[in-house]
Structure formats: structure tokens, C-alpha cells
Amino acid sequence: MFLILYGIQGSGKGTQGQLLARRLGIPHVSTGEILRTLSLQKTPEGQALKAQIDNGQLISDEQMTRILEHHLPDSVILDGYPRTRRQAEMLDDIATVDHVLHIELHEEEAKRRALARGRHDDTAEAIHYRMQQYYREAAAILEYYETRGKLVKINGDQPIEDVYVEICRALNV
Ligand code: AMP
């Protein structure tokens, strides 16, 4: 099963991804985590990635997709990708997506949660910038999957357990 968890920063993609991975016995792959690991390398590539991540900038679609390809099993819960419509198109060239779970959450609560998790790239400025980027691309990405009949809407404005139950019901697992 190839699942995508889609939603604004702070919507609970990481948390739900881990819960689902355990339930379904398939890996949870977070592009943010892959990039944070690569950014620890003291190579020019690592240093360049670190600068981009710390500023909340997106890695280019080409570089991101190249990196992702090396970490993509057939069955997966993908979190953090696609961030652009172009990435959605590129993914269709290398994988077959079954469902895209859109965890819906309004901006205020998303900001509050993202700030509370205290990751080192989660400064108020970086979060604000990433959310602007999110809204710039969100409509196009959602439309892309909606027209292909792959979009499932999940109410993210509820406790973790309830979001999880809603997702499991939607997937029939
Ligand atoms: P995340 O953990 O999903 O919040 O991602 C952390 C950072 O990694 C983002 O702010 C971007 O700089 C980078 N990143 C993660 N996923 C992608 C992606 N699909 N495309 C471009 N940049 C990404």
C-alpha cells in the first residue's frame, strides 16, 4: 500500500505516520527526516541542505525526488512529499500512489502545535515561511489528487487517537 500523508506543518502527519506504520507493518518515510540526516554530513551537499532547511526553504523538486528515489519501497507511508504539484507529477513517474490522506487543520492551531514541538528549525519565522509555501501549493496538489480520485479528507482538529481512528476507518484497516 502506497499512502501519502498530506497536511500543513503541525497537522500530525509524523505522529499518525508512525502509528500507521506500526499497524500496517510498512515503513514511514519522512522526507524532512531524510534531509535532516543528510544535512548532518560535513560535505558541501550536507552543508547546503542544512542552510536550506534552517531557513525553511524547499529543496529543489529535482534534487528532492532524486534523494527520495533511494528511500522509496513499494509499500510506504510517505510524509513531507509532495510539497509541490511538480513533485506530485514526478512521483507518479516512479511509484503508484493508492491514497492521499489530507489531515485538515486550520492555520492557528497548526502554528501553535508546530511551535510547541520545539524542533531546532521550528523558529516562528521558519514556520511562518513554510506555511506560506504550503498554502501556495496546497490547492494545486489537492486538486491533482482529487481529480484522480485519491484524496481522503481527515479532520485533524481532534485528539491524536480520534484522528487515528478516522484514518483507520477511511482505509478500512
Ligand atoms: P518537514 O520535516 O517535513 O517539516 O521538512 C523539513 C524541511 O525539509 C522543510 O522545511 C524543507 O526545507 C525540507 N523538505 C522536506 N520535504 C521536502 C520536499 N518534499 N520538497 C522540498 N523540501 C523538503
Side-chain angles (χ1 to χ4, degrees), residues 57-98:
Q57 286 168 357
L58 290 186
I59 310 313
S60 79
D61 293 337
E62 286 69 24
Q63 187 182 8
M64 183 70 249
T65 307
R66 218 177 314 123
I67 293 171
L68 178 67
E69 260 186 291
H70 295 293
H71 295 83
L72 209 55
D74 291 338
S75 273
V76 72
I77 297 158
L78 185 56
D79 162 2
Y81 187 107
R83 287 278 226 282
T84 63
R85 186 192 161 102
R86 171 124 179 78
Q87 288 185 6
E89 290 166 358
M90 291 172 99
L91 182 61
D92 277 344
D93 288 336
I94 54 175
T96 304
V97 175
D98 293 310

Side-chain angles (χ1 to χ4, degrees), residues 30-57 59 63-64 67 71 119-121:
S30 150
T31 49
E33 270 169 34
I34 293 171
L35 293 172
R36 277 189 289 281
T37 302
L38 290 176
S39 75
L40 297 176
Q41 294 175 344
K42 300 282 172 242
T43 57
E45 192 204 16
Q47 296 304 294
L49 285 174
K50 181 168 170 19
Q52 283 173 292
I53 293 170
D54 287 350
N55 291 326
Q57 286 168 357
I59 310 313
Q63 187 182 8
M64 183 70 249
I67 293 171
H71 295 83
R119 216 169 63 196
H120 95 279
D121 62 333

